[in-house]
Every structure is written in C-alpha cells, then in structure tokens.
Amino acid sequence: MYYVINFQGFGGYASVTVVRFLLGVFEAGLFPGLVYYLTFWYKTEERSIRVAFILASATLAGAFGGAIAYGIGHMNQAGGLSAWRWLFIIEGIPSCLSAFLVWFLLPDYPEDANWLTIQERDLAVQRLHIEGSKGHHKAMTWSDAKATLVDWRLWAHYVVYFGISVPFSSLSLFTPSITAGLGYRDLQAQLMTVPPYAVAYLVQIRTSWSADHFNARGLHSAAMATVGAAGFLASGILPEDAYRARYGCLIVAASGSFACIPPLLGWLSSNIFSTASVGLAIALNIGLGGAPGQIVGVWIYKADEAKEGYPTGHYTNAALLFMVAVGCVILRLYYGRRNKRILASSGGEEVRLFKY
C-alpha cells in the first residue's frame, strides 16, 4: 500500500495501471491469509463467527465508502491533486500504519505469543490437538498439493463459493447505482446504501454464530442463499417504479448473500485435516472461486438497464444463489455419509469427523 500511495504523484495510463496492479498483488493474499491464520488459533466451532467479524466489519466499512468518496470528491485539485488520488491516499494511510502494528504485535502461532503465560500457551496448543493448524507441522509436499488439487469435494466448495462471490461483488460495487436506480441521487444515493449493509452486518454475525453453535454451516448457508435469491428475484419481478418495495428487497438480498460467506469459509477450513492443505485449499477457494465471481459481478449490472431496474443483474444473482443453496445441501448429505463410514470403521476410537 505504501507504493500505491506514492505512485499517486504520477500521471498517465501506464502509472495508473502499475498502481492498480500493485494494489491487486498486495491485497490478494490478505483475506485468504486472515482465514488461514484463524485456523492456527481457533477450533472449528469457533471460526465462522471470527470470519464473520472480519468480513462484516469490512462490509460495514464499505457501506460508508461511497459517502466518504462523495466527500473526497469535493477535494478535487486540493494541493494540486485530483480527487481520486486523495481517495487512495486517505484510505491507504490507515493500512500503512496498521501494518507496523501487525508486524510487531501479532504472533504467528499460539506457542509464539509472548503475552501468554507458559500454561496458557500449552492450553492453546492442547485445545487444538485434534483439529486446527499447527505451527510445527511440516511444509507442504507435492503429495499434499496433489491430494488437495484432485479432491473433488473441494472443487464443489469452490463452485459454491463462485456462486456467492458474484452477488457479493456486484452488491459491493453497484449498491450506489442500484439505489440511484430506485430514485435516489448523489449523496442521498450513497447514504441509502448504509441500511442494507448495516442489516447485513447483524445478520452475518448472528448466522455465523448459529452455524458454528449447531454444527450446521451448510444448512445455514443454504437457507441464507435462498433468502438472498428471493430478494433478488423479487427485485427483478417488481415494477421499476416500486421504489420502497425494491429497496426492501435490496436489504433482504444483501443480508442473505453476505451471511453465506463466513459459514462457507469456516466449513471449508474445518474439513481439511492437513495444515499445509488448509492454506492451499483456502487460497484456491478464494482465487478460483472468489476472483472469477468478482469479475462476473462487475458486468451483470448494466447501465442501460437502470430504468428497468437492472433485471439482468438481479436474475443472475438469484440463479447463482439458488445454485449455492443446492450445492450446500449436496455437500451436507455427502459429509453425513462420509461420517457414517468413518464411525463404522473406527472401532470406538476417537476420530476426527467432517463438520456440517
């Protein structure tokens, strides 16, 4: 982010391209890295809620991003810099400052935490004896990578994550445009994006807690995907001048869509039993599932459909969310069958089962 900020002093297409490339490079590993980091510290029934706090906080911050951008737009040519340069600078400075805090204060593993006593470190390691990533485990081998790459159930997770990434991306980018299509303009359109995100924040936290508590991540994701799909479907069906009803549907769609993601990530990381493979699978899930979904999400809300209420975007998101719901149910049934086989062959010994 430091380089991104400093490049803002240069102009031209080439420098902007370099800036965007660097921003993507440095940001790409942040979210999968955070999810992977949680596996070293928390048991499987504790992860989804932690992922939810990370994602929901980013979502809530994004709710005010449009209003902040609107305000920074009035700084155009302040100090001789364009408004978009000020946007990068102002939003980049906190990231630079927090990087130093993370480097010096955030330990890699529980056994390295100098703010814990020896007894507390031992307890932190012991509670993850059966499940959880281990800092002392060996590095990834080719056999580990191959086993992860050819495991079809993981690819099913990636397809499901693609399905949820499209509505997540499209809502994150186009909620101001959608609200503008509902009859709101300028700052009011930006501010009207806050309630959908605020409600989605609360729904994400509650859904993730419940999914972990009842060991039902797949079914919770399926239920919320169905709720989100219903919101998008209703938005597409309603008349374009039904502003209040379509705004309510936007809140429902955002809540259902965003609430799926933390349980899905917690579910994936809970059902991989190798420390090295967990990291690779999370990266593939977000890289192969999330990144293409975000690209698709950029294109489905077409500017020339604003007067019609963006039917292409709404129907596409609804279809993908229904796919997510079906995929989650299929995976839940699959893991149930696998657990029955494991218990039948365990001979009464303690074994690690797949999470639901």
Side-chain angles (χ1 to χ4, degrees):
M1 184 60 74
Y2 170 81
Y3 296 104
V4 172
I5 291 175
N6 280 277
F7 262 108
Q8 301 315 306
F10 298 89
Y13 177 80
S15 62
V16 173
T17 302
V18 171
V19 167
R20 295 300 299 167
F21 175 77
L22 290 174
L23 182 61
V25 168
F26 290 115
E27 188 178 357
L30 177 61
F31 187 57
L34 288 171
V35 176
Y36 184 43
Y37 181 77
L38 293 176
T39 66
F40 289 92
W41 288 83
Y42 297 103
K43 300 171 70 175
T44 55
E45 64 267 22
E46 301 168 342
R47 292 179 194 166
S48 295
I49 186 65
R50 268 78 184 181
V51 175
F53 276 117
I54 295 172
L55 186 65
S57 297
T59 300
L60 191 61
F64 296 95
I68 294 173
Y70 182 87
I72 294 176
H74 292 84
M75 296 178 60
N76 194 35
Q77 297 307 316
L81 295 178
S82 302
W84 67 269
R85 299 180 189 274
W86 278 114
L87 182 64
F88 274 89
I89 293 170
I90 292 174
E91 294 192 348
I93 288 175
S95 297
C96 292
L97 297 177
S98 63
F100 290 99
L101 297 176
V102 170
W103 180 266
F104 290 107
L105 300 179
L106 194 66
D108 293 330
Y109 315 112
E111 50 266 43
D112 296 335
N114 54 20
W115 40 268
L116 293 176
T117 65
I118 296 177
Q119 292 78 10
E120 288 172 337
R121 292 179 207 169
D122 292 340
L123 177 61
V125 172
Q126 180 60 35
R127 65 194 294 271
L128 297 173
H129 174 66
I130 295 179
E131 55 192 34
S133 299
K134 314 293 191 301
H136 56 78
H137 274 189
K138 64 179 181 179
M140 172 168 281
T141 62
W142 169 241
S143 61
D144 293 328
K146 183 179 179 180
T148 304
L149 291 171
V150 300
D151 192 337
W152 75 265
R153 68 181 176 89
L154 297 182
W155 286 91
H157 278 280
Y158 306 157
V159 171
V160 168
Y161 197 75
F162 168 82
I164 192 59
S165 295
V166 176
F168 176 79
S169 171
S170 60
L171 283 173
S172 299
L173 294 174
F174 290 104
T175 298
S177 299
I178 296 171
T179 55
L182 296 177
Y184 302 104
R185 293 291 181 269
D186 300 326
L187 180 59
Q188 187 182 24
Q190 300 288 355
L191 294 177
M192 289 302 290
T193 66
V194 176
Y197 282 113
V199 175
Y201 178 94
L202 298 175
V203 174
Q204 280 186 82
I205 298 300
R206 181 61 183 176
T207 300
S208 300
W209 176 87
S210 179
D212 277 344
H213 182 74
F214 294 103
N215 186 27
R217 299 160 191 82
L219 294 182
H220 277 73
S221 294
M224 296 312 299
T226 303
V227 170
F232 281 116
L233 189 61
S235 295
I237 294 174
L238 286 169
E240 59 271 15
D241 59 350
Y243 295 137
R244 290 186 178 181
R246 288 171 57 214
Y247 184 72
C249 290
L250 175 62
I251 295 176
V252 173
S255 299
S257 301
F258 293 170
C260 294
I261 298 178
L264 285 175
L265 290 170
W267 198 19
L268 172 69
S269 67
S270 299
N271 286 334
I272 305 172
F273 302 161
S274 163
T275 297
S277 296
V278 171
L280 177 59
I282 291 173
L284 290 173
N285 184 63
I286 296 176
L288 298 181
Q294 292 181 359
I295 294 173
V296 173
V298 171
W299 296 101
I300 61 176
Y301 280 92
K302 303 177 180 180
D304 58 358
E305 293 185 348
K307 293 183 179 180
E308 304 170 27
Y310 301 102
T312 299
H314 293 324
Y315 289 139
T316 301
N317 283 335
L320 287 170
L321 286 169
F322 280 128
M323 181 199 75
V324 169
V326 172
C328 288
V329 172
I330 292 174
L331 281 169
R332 167 61 181 84
L333 295 174
Y334 168 77
Y335 284 129
R337 293 185 60 184
R338 286 287 300 270
N339 281 345
K340 289 181 180 179
R341 295 175 185 174
I342 293 172
L343 290 172
S345 60
S346 66
E349 297 181 0
E350 184 180 17
V351 291
R352 182 173 177 179
L353 298 174
F354 290 104
K355 299 296 183 178
Y356 299 139

